[in-house]
Amino acid sequence: MRAPVAITLLTILLAACVSSPTVVDAPASPAPVTTPTLPPLRIGLALGGGAAKGFAHIGVIKMLEANGIHPVLVTGTSAGSVVGALYASGMDAYALQERAVALDEAQIRDVSLFSGGLIKGQKLEDYVNAQVGNRPIERLPIPFAAVATRLEDGKPTVFQRGNVGQAVRASSSVPGVFEAVTIGRWHYVDGGVVSPVPVDAARELGADFVIAVDIGSKATGSSATPYSLLGNVNQSIRIMGQRLAAAELKRADVVIRPAVNDIGPADFSQKQRAILEGERALQAALPQIRDRLAAVLTARAQRARAAAQAQQASAATPVAECTPHRSWTTFWRSVCSKTE
């Protein structure tokens, strides 16, 4: 009779183990979730091409600084690469404006006929290198990239290292106006052919928030000249640039458009007005910039807090165990010994 009793007791004990697991409970009052400290938002400035209209970039930078908004990286195409390189070298907006006022077009224009362009571009390269203290791109205080187009296959090229002046010259070499720039075994022309406003380059450089400045000429009915060869070429370039810019600008957080469409590509006499239009455009966009910055910061904080909550919840999940109590084992041994 003892054996059946023992078997019955064993069945009861096993059932108790299955139905009554030992549970390690989570704390009754979980610790409050602390949002992790986030790194500062990296604001990038993407400066588009537009020849003499590029002086408007200086006005934009001037108003950004005046309102406490300081980009930590800058990218530029064509005229935007010129202003961007000088800004990345450590110049503030007032130093940039001083250089602009003092700039004589002859300082950056070297006529070169029968060589693939009207302007050689070496003077522009030398001017930029002199302004940045002959430092390479990687030694500039602010991360900088210039966008150019590889002539052989049309590939966008983002220069982030090497000779600043040469990168700017390549980015600014408007086909038919400047000679193509030879770097290594490749030839490069204006970055505006593939990226009129280098938003994507700013993202690649690490920007969390991109302010883009679009100064490109817009294709309008009044600018169409169907019976002029040069007019047709200019209008075609406008249309191409406008379409390319529209696609890339969608990936910016804020787009600034100074009212400089009527300034000619070589009209250096309008540089003061271009700077003023840049100031006005940025001032008008300030509410949008602040609202968008606040929204991005809030979204970042919410994502970080949600991740912290998920991590804390995972760490506090109750763990169920089914381990026979030592006293049950002792009891069972005693029962077995009695049945022998």
Side-chain angles (χ1 to χ4, degrees):
M1 293 295 291
R2 290 181 179 179
V5 171
I7 292 171
T8 302
L9 289 173
L10 175 60
T11 303
I12 293 170
L13 291 172
L14 291 174
C17 179
V18 172
S19 61
S20 304
T22 301
V23 178
V24 180
D25 294 320
S29 301
V33 177
T34 302
T35 302
T37 302
L38 297 172
L41 194 70
R42 290 174 60 82
I43 299 175
L45 189 59
L47 305 178
K53 295 191 287 291
F55 291 106
H57 293 316
I58 297 172
V60 169
I61 293 171
K62 189 175 178 181
M63 285 296 102
L64 283 173
E65 290 184 342
N67 287 277
I69 301 171
H70 299 283
V72 299
L73 60 91
V74 59
T75 58
T77 288
S78 198
S81 73
V82 179
V83 176
L86 270 57
Y87 181 59
S89 75
M91 294 184 194
D92 62 17
Y94 289 95
L96 290 173
Q97 185 168 358
E98 184 179 88
R99 299 298 195 284
V101 171
L103 179 64
D104 184 340
E105 192 177 355
Q107 292 177 266
I108 58 173
R109 183 183 60 195
D110 44 2
V111 177
S112 176
L113 301 176
F114 312 112
S115 60
L118 299 176
I119 299 175
K120 186 175 180 63
Q122 185 63 52
K123 277 193 172 184
L124 174 62
E125 179 178 330
D126 294 343
Y127 172 81
V128 171
N129 278 332
Q131 296 301 314
V132 303
N134 292 303
R135 289 171 290 180
I137 295 174
E138 61 270 24
R139 288 185 56 198
L140 298 179
I142 296 175
F144 167 70
V147 180
T149 304
R150 199 160 72 186
L151 188 58
E152 281 77 5
D153 56 11
K155 181 180 178 180
T157 302
V158 181
F159 290 101
Q160 300 181 51
R161 299 181 61 82
N163 187 311
V164 177
Q166 190 177 54
V168 168
R169 177 184 174 186
S171 180
S172 305
S173 293
V174 180
V177 178
F178 282 79
E179 290 182 9
V181 179
T182 304
I183 301 176
R185 64 190 185 93
W186 303 103
H187 300 84
Y188 296 91
V189 294
D190 196 303
V193 174
V194 289
S195 181
V197 187
V199 175
D200 293 340
R203 296 288 187 197
E204 290 174 14
L205 213 58
D208 303 309
F209 188 96
V210 178
I211 299 172
V213 187
D214 178 18
I215 56 169
S217 296
K218 304 299 181 288
T220 62
S222 60
S223 58
T225 50
Y227 303 108
S228 163
L229 175 61
L230 184 58
N232 284 342
V233 171
N234 287 337
Q235 181 72 347
S236 298
I237 291 173
R238 288 190 188 100
I239 293 170
M240 178 185 68
Q242 192 169 315
R243 288 183 177 274
L244 283 172
E248 192 164 357
L249 286 170
K250 290 179 181 178
R251 296 186 282 276
D253 292 280
V254 177
V255 179
I256 312 298
R257 291 187 171 92
V260 291
N261 198 43
D262 60 330
I263 296 178
D267 193 355
F268 276 56
S269 66
Q270 295 283 342
K271 54 190 173 185
Q272 289 282 26
R273 184 196 145 205
I275 293 171
L276 181 58
E277 292 296 347
E279 293 178 17
R280 288 173 174 164
L282 193 283
Q283 195 68 36
L286 267 177
Q288 181 190 5
I289 293 174
R290 287 179 173 142
D291 288 348
R292 183 63 184 150
L293 276 171
V296 170
L297 289 169
T298 299
R300 288 178 85 215
Q302 288 174 342
R303 287 194 297 269
R305 185 172 179 81
Q309 287 175 330
Q311 185 177 8
Q312 181 173 315
S314 176
T317 301
V319 179
E321 298 176 351
C322 183
T323 305
H325 196 279
R326 180 174 293 181
S327 61
W328 296 356
T329 305
T330 304
F331 175 73
W332 172 239
R333 286 176 179 169
S334 67
V335 171
C336 288
S337 65
K338 290 178 183 180
T339 59
E340 293 175 353

